[in-house]
Amino acid sequence: HGGDYNYLAARLGWLPFYPQFNANSIALVEQANAKTNEEAVQYVVQQIKKGNIKFAIENPSDPINFPRVMFVWRANLIGSSAKGHEYFLKHLLGTHHANFSEQNDDLKTSEIVWDENAPEGKLDLMVNIDFRMAGTGLYSDIVLPAATWYEKYDVSSTDMHPF
């Protein structure tokens, strides 16, 4: 299953995944009572080996692993960039959607905990920073303005401008 490969990639450090663990990263550093970064890393590694800390991707249906706040900067995440727009609306935002498909029970994960009834509405707050009012802005809780290329006087290094 594709999800199992994502779990493997996150576990081996090939793919970033946030939240990373089923524990608060700040609380982990405090629990480690470490004087250096290396000591904190060793504490986390030991806790993972003992099974006290799990990767968040291992059980995405557990509420402790839900992404609660999302900042979207100059991207149409909920619109054209989302392949599976209906699933974003249903499972991430918990709002109206046009998902009429049935869940395929033949495609179950073996590494990731499988939940028959996937949770809906995992996100508590979505902030959109963009100069376009695209699909993401329409579903965001907070929309902040961003400067367009006409409002900037310096050179920009992104591919989002015509100059």
Side-chain angles (χ1 to χ4, degrees), residues 111-160:
E111 298 278 337
I112 297 174
V113 175
W114 183 264
D115 192 354
E116 293 297 328
N117 298 314
E120 297 180 16
K122 295 179 177 183
L123 206 59
D124 289 337
L125 175 69
M126 186 162 65
V127 179
N128 184 38
I129 307 166
D130 202 346
F131 58 84
R132 297 179 183 96
M133 182 53 83
T136 302
L138 295 174
Y139 288 102
S140 293
D141 298 300
I142 299 172
V143 178
L144 299 173
T148 66
W149 48 82
Y150 298 112
E151 298 169 305
K152 296 179 182 179
Y153 61 86
D154 58 345
V155 177
S156 180
S157 64
T158 68
D159 60 351
M160 298 290 292

Side-chain angles (χ1 to χ4, degrees), residues 1-160:
H1 191 278
D4 291 331
Y5 287 111
N6 275 339
Y7 172 64
L8 175 67
R11 193 177 70 223
L12 295 176
W14 301 340
L15 177 73
F17 192 86
Y18 298 101
Q20 194 164 4
F21 302 114
N22 65 346
N24 186 314
S25 300
I26 297 170
L28 285 175
V29 172
E30 290 173 357
Q31 291 169 7
N33 200 16
K35 293 183 173 49
T36 65
N37 286 342
E38 290 77 21
E39 290 177 3
V41 169
Q42 287 304 315
Y43 173 79
V44 172
V45 169
Q46 289 170 359
Q47 295 301 311
I48 291 171
K49 288 180 178 179
K50 291 179 184 176
N52 296 336
I53 298 174
K54 303 279 186 190
F55 285 92
I57 194 172
E58 189 174 335
N59 189 357
S61 295
D62 186 355
I64 200 164
N65 297 328
F66 289 178
R68 300 293 183 180
V69 178
M70 180 180 288
F71 284 81
V72 181
W73 178 67
R74 290 178 67 177
N76 194 7
L77 179 69
I78 305 298
S80 61
S81 298
K83 305 308 179 220
H85 172 78
E86 299 83 8
Y87 296 99
F88 275 75
L89 295 177
K90 180 179 180 181
H91 298 291
L92 189 64
L93 300 178
T95 186
H96 59 279
H97 56 85
N99 182 10
F100 299 114
S101 65
E102 295 294 325
Q103 184 168 306
N104 186 351
D105 290 332
D106 295 336
L107 291 174
K108 290 189 178 179
T109 57
S110 58
E111 298 278 337
I112 297 174
V113 175
W114 183 264
D115 192 354
E116 293 297 328
N117 298 314
E120 297 180 16
K122 295 179 177 183
L123 206 59
D124 289 337
L125 175 69
M126 186 162 65
V127 179
N128 184 38
I129 307 166
D130 202 346
F131 58 84
R132 297 179 183 96
M133 182 53 83
T136 302
L138 295 174
Y139 288 102
S140 293
D141 298 300
I142 299 172
V143 178
L144 299 173
T148 66
W149 48 82
Y150 298 112
E151 298 169 305
K152 296 179 182 179
Y153 61 86
D154 58 345
V155 177
S156 180
S157 64
T158 68
D159 60 351
M160 298 290 292

